[in-house]
Amino acid sequence: MTPMPERLNAARFALGGRLLDLLFPPRCVNCKQVGGAFCPQCFGSIQFIQPPFCPRCSHWLVSANAPCPACRAQPRLITRVRAAAWHEGAIRQAIHALKYNRRRDVAAPLATLLAPLCLNTESKPDLLTSVPLHPERQRERGYNQAEELAKQTARRSGGTYARLLERTRATADQIGLNAQERHANVRDAFRVNASIQLQGKQIVLIDDVYTTGATLDACAAALFARGASAVYGVTVARPR
Ligand SMILES: [Zn+2]
Ligand SMILES: [Zn+2]
């Protein structure tokens, strides 16, 4: 039987959550309608990435099953990257809310888009992990949005989440840098900080947005250095 103080705390927590919902009901990230993180209309407006797309980075293609020009120009370490939707409209608002407006509740509906992409690898992945945030930024935000997405996705895909990576140094903001500068900016910026055996493991690496793939590639390099056999990047969105 659960001790009395613990049961009281649990009840208080549940009541507090309900009270908070009554006082500040969750609103749709896109149209602000009261009800939840996404209203049905805004969820229905999401532009999913449909085939044919680049087998390496999920970008749209004119002809199927050949890497896109960006992947041909910049060889990638990561095994493959899938993105669920184009970075626009309701998805863009959702990612912004998750990152900058403390809308942690947005991670669960977004994970429903990520889970099918994780099961779509060659075989069932061994572990799910996430791109780490700089500790200072994580302190400001209170959580790492990529980790929230990865934990929720693991719950939905039956996988196991593990915090595997850490940043070895602060990196400059990637905004305004071209692909080559982005790769140079994050090279050797990550390392595995876990005693988990990664030899021969297939790992799903979760992030919110894919831009040039530089960050995912730098994380993949650290996982491959510890013996991972495949690293599948899975993101909510990528730009067209
Ligand atoms: Zn809406
Ligand atoms: Zn590509």
Side-chain angles (χ1 to χ4, degrees):
M1 182 145 175
T2 323
M4 197 60 187
E6 268 185 49
R7 274 192 300 165
L8 271 177
N9 278 339
R12 206 174 288 139
F13 180 77
L15 182 66
R18 241 173 274 142
L19 268 176
L20 276 178
D21 277 359
L22 279 173
L23 291 171
F24 307 101
R27 288 171 181 272
C28 171
V29 289
N30 196 42
C31 71
K32 314 295 180 229
Q33 185 180 303
V34 170
F38 281 106
C39 73
Q41 288 86 340
C42 290
F43 194 80
S45 74
I46 294 170
Q47 295 291 308
F48 291 101
I49 298 176
Q50 306 285 359
F53 46 73
C54 171
R56 303 300 309 277
C57 76
S58 274
H59 201 238
W60 62 272
L61 281 182
V62 185
S63 68
N65 293 324
C68 73
C71 287
R72 281 202 298 268
Q74 177 79 53
R76 300 178 199 287
L77 274 172
I78 197 159
T79 312
R80 192 170 64 214
V81 180
R82 289 290 313 274
W86 298 113
H87 192 223
E88 56 196 31
I91 279 290
R92 195 190 179 94
Q93 296 301 326
I95 291 170
H96 190 274
L98 177 65
K99 283 171 86 163
Y100 305 112
N101 300 342
R102 295 177 194 271
R103 287 292 303 268
R104 218 168 170 163
D105 61 313
V106 179
L110 291 179
T112 64
L113 313 182
L114 298 176
L117 303 186
C118 300
L119 299 172
N120 206 4
T121 52
E122 266 87 46
S123 60
K124 197 171 177 290
D126 298 300
L127 289 171
L128 286 91
T129 196
S130 47
V131 171
L133 208 56
H134 189 267
E136 207 169 292
R137 209 168 285 174
Q138 181 151 352
R139 255 196 309 278
E140 288 164 14
R141 202 168 289 173
Y143 58 89
N144 171 2
Q145 76 281 353
E147 184 173 77
E148 295 298 309
L149 289 167
K151 284 178 174 169
Q152 294 285 348
T153 305
R155 214 167 285 164
R156 273 162 188 77
S157 62
T160 305
Y161 175 79
R163 188 186 278 186
L164 298 177
L165 295 158
E166 69 172 7
R167 288 190 185 251
T168 54
R169 57 180 170 85
T171 53
D173 204 317
Q174 298 273 71
I175 294 165
L177 303 180
N178 67 30
Q180 262 174 3
E181 289 164 343
R182 280 173 181 246
H183 275 85
N185 185 33
V186 292
R187 193 168 294 132
D188 302 324
F190 302 93
R191 72 167 162 241
V192 173
N193 176 29
S195 52
I196 301 172
Q197 178 61 254
L198 299 184
Q199 196 69 38
K201 293 263 198 291
Q202 302 197 58
I203 296 165
V204 168
L205 175 63
I206 304 258
D207 204 5
D208 46 9
V209 185
Y210 174 100
T211 310
T212 61
T215 303
L216 288 175
D217 235 33
C219 289
L223 295 166
F224 283 130
R226 283 284 297 270
S229 64
V231 180
Y232 300 104
V234 175
T235 72
V236 178
R238 64 155 298 144
R240 275 188 200 265

